Amino acid sequence: MLSRRDFLKLVVKGAVLGNFSKLVTPPLAKAVAAGEVHKLPVVMIETGTCTGDSISLDNIWTPTFSDILTNILDWRYDWIMNQVQGQEAYGILQETYEKMPHEYILIVQGSMIQRDNGHYNHVGYENGKLITGVELVRRIGLKAKYVVAIGSCATYGGPVAGYPNPTQSTGVQNILPERRVINVSGCPAHPDWIMGTLLHLALYGEPELEKFGRPKLFYGETVHNRCPRRRFYDQGIFATAIGQKECLFRVGCKGPVTYSDCPIRRWNDRFNWPIGCNTPCIGCTEPGYPDLMSPFTSHLPDIPFPGGTKVNTDSIGLGVLGLTSVAITGHVVTSLYKGRIQKNLLKTSAKTNHRPALKKAQALHKYWLKKTNKI
């Protein structure tokens, strides 16, 4: 079987070459044939969600991952993919958590809706009673070997928990405080992130997690660090409107505070990604999304560094070319390493008690249009 080190190399290599599944499948097939891999039962519960993560995952299931789902993971319950319906399907779910305690993986997709004891979200029908998402996730999660939350809604509440959050929605970790929840965030989560995490659990156990519970192999660096437009940022060359080819930070890109490997993995079979389409990163993998990241096209005016110093973004970009950049760059590197810059940058984009007024939004657009005309 592949060593964990070799597996991690294939995760990165597959992202760069766009053939993660093709690289991983052959060695896994050999491990299955040799009896080195034992199937892990998997059940997926969908709560308050748009089903976007299932749709995302479907894009990698066939044909290359069909063998993995057959030989590596025993996909037992998923209401979208079930071949049976009603009580027969629900019976498989009951059998799994009753007869296989501490053996299966629970995947949760969707926000945990708590308002009125969770009765705005029903996911099952048992003994004449409607079962809420919160109740079922707690029941199954407490007996699971691993709990994996996929997508922004399941991980941190996501759009469903957006202001003013009338349904009192939250992430899975707040519903299962007794358990460690592995968060595979994103709106939606990339299929490689989901399947790569599941494969790591099946082959090697729990992956190394960062401070927000995400696997470091996918969320270890910021989008900004790997962005192909980083050179424009370092030289102070910023786009003044969406659609331009320069660094999009001045038109709202949240890449400096967003942790994911989108720049090298990309989307839709590695065809493209948001910045490749000349639109800013909106920070969909981060806690607090979308509220802390909105308005998506508003510029973060400055960066507060540790100690209270504020540096204008133009100064950062232009300063890299001069001697004054040494101290700034040092702060950036240290803060990125310790995770402080993410916290500080999020503060500059956090909304107040009310959404920005329309008048303010119009003023921002007028500012960019005037600047564009001058150029």
Side-chain angles (χ1 to χ4, degrees), residues 296-313:
F296 296 140
T297 57
S298 288
H299 168 53
L300 302 179
D302 49 37
I303 298 177
F305 285 102
T309 303
K310 290 188 176 181
V311 180
N312 185 272
T313 52

Side-chain angles (χ1 to χ4, degrees), residues 4-256:
R4 183 176 178 276
R5 181 185 296 272
D6 290 336
F7 177 81
L8 296 180
K9 288 181 180 179
L10 290 183
V11 168
V12 177
K13 184 178 180 181
V16 175
L17 298 178
N19 60 351
F20 173 53
S21 58
K22 293 180 181 178
L23 291 173
V24 174
T25 301
L28 287 182
K30 293 181 180 179
V32 170
E36 298 174 347
V37 177
H38 302 284
K39 288 185 179 181
L40 271 180
V42 175
V43 295
M44 179 187 283
I45 304 298
E46 183 172 340
T47 53
T49 180
C50 65
T51 315
D53 298 289
S54 287
I55 295 172
S56 177
L57 186 56
D58 291 348
N59 289 326
I60 200 173
W61 273 13
T62 56
T64 54
F65 267 113
S66 59
D67 290 337
I68 293 177
L69 291 176
T70 301
N71 298 318
I72 308 300
L73 301 172
D74 179 12
W75 208 272
R76 297 181 60 82
Y77 180 85
D78 177 355
W79 76 272
I80 293 179
M81 295 296 169
N82 284 342
Q83 294 182 342
V84 295
Q85 299 179 13
Q87 187 56 44
E88 187 175 356
Y90 193 74
I92 297 174
L93 178 63
Q94 290 178 303
E95 179 186 37
T96 302
Y97 72 81
E98 290 175 357
K99 297 183 178 180
M100 301 179 181
H102 312 296
E103 295 181 17
Y104 59 86
I105 300 175
L106 168 64
I107 302 176
V108 182
Q109 173 186 190
S111 180
M112 298 287 96
I113 297 176
Q114 303 178 93
R115 180 73 176 268
D116 293 340
N117 295 319
H119 283 290
Y120 288 98
N121 174 235
H122 295 118
V123 295
Y125 190 74
E126 182 178 333
N127 298 325
K129 176 187 174 184
L130 288 169
I131 307 300
T132 68
V134 171
E135 179 183 351
L136 190 61
V137 167
R138 275 200 57 80
R139 184 196 309 176
I140 298 178
L142 291 175
K143 287 188 175 183
K145 184 174 183 178
Y146 303 108
V147 179
V148 181
I150 62 172
S152 293
C153 291
T155 52
Y156 312 120
V160 183
Y163 177 84
N165 195 6
T167 58
Q168 298 174 7
S169 298
T170 188
V172 176
Q173 184 67 81
N174 291 331
I175 297 299
L176 289 170
E178 309 93 332
R179 296 295 311 269
R180 184 199 298 276
V181 175
I182 300 171
N183 291 321
V184 183
S185 59
C187 192
H190 194 289
D192 280 7
W193 302 341
I194 301 172
M195 191 56 67
T197 300
L198 294 178
L199 290 177
H200 196 288
L201 292 174
L203 299 175
Y204 315 105
E206 184 177 288
E208 184 180 4
L209 306 177
E210 45 87 83
K211 62 181 179 180
F212 294 118
R214 299 173 295 191
K216 281 188 176 181
L217 67 160
F218 301 116
Y219 303 91
E221 290 191 55
T222 63
V223 168
H224 184 66
N225 279 0
R226 289 173 164 172
C227 182
R229 303 190 187 194
R230 176 63 185 269
R231 66 186 186 278
F232 292 125
Y233 178 91
D234 292 341
Q235 297 175 52
I237 304 174
F238 296 101
T240 57
I242 292 175
Q244 296 178 356
K245 299 291 185 180
E246 296 79 17
C247 175
L248 296 165
F249 184 46
R250 293 297 299 273
V251 290
C253 182
K254 306 304 188 293

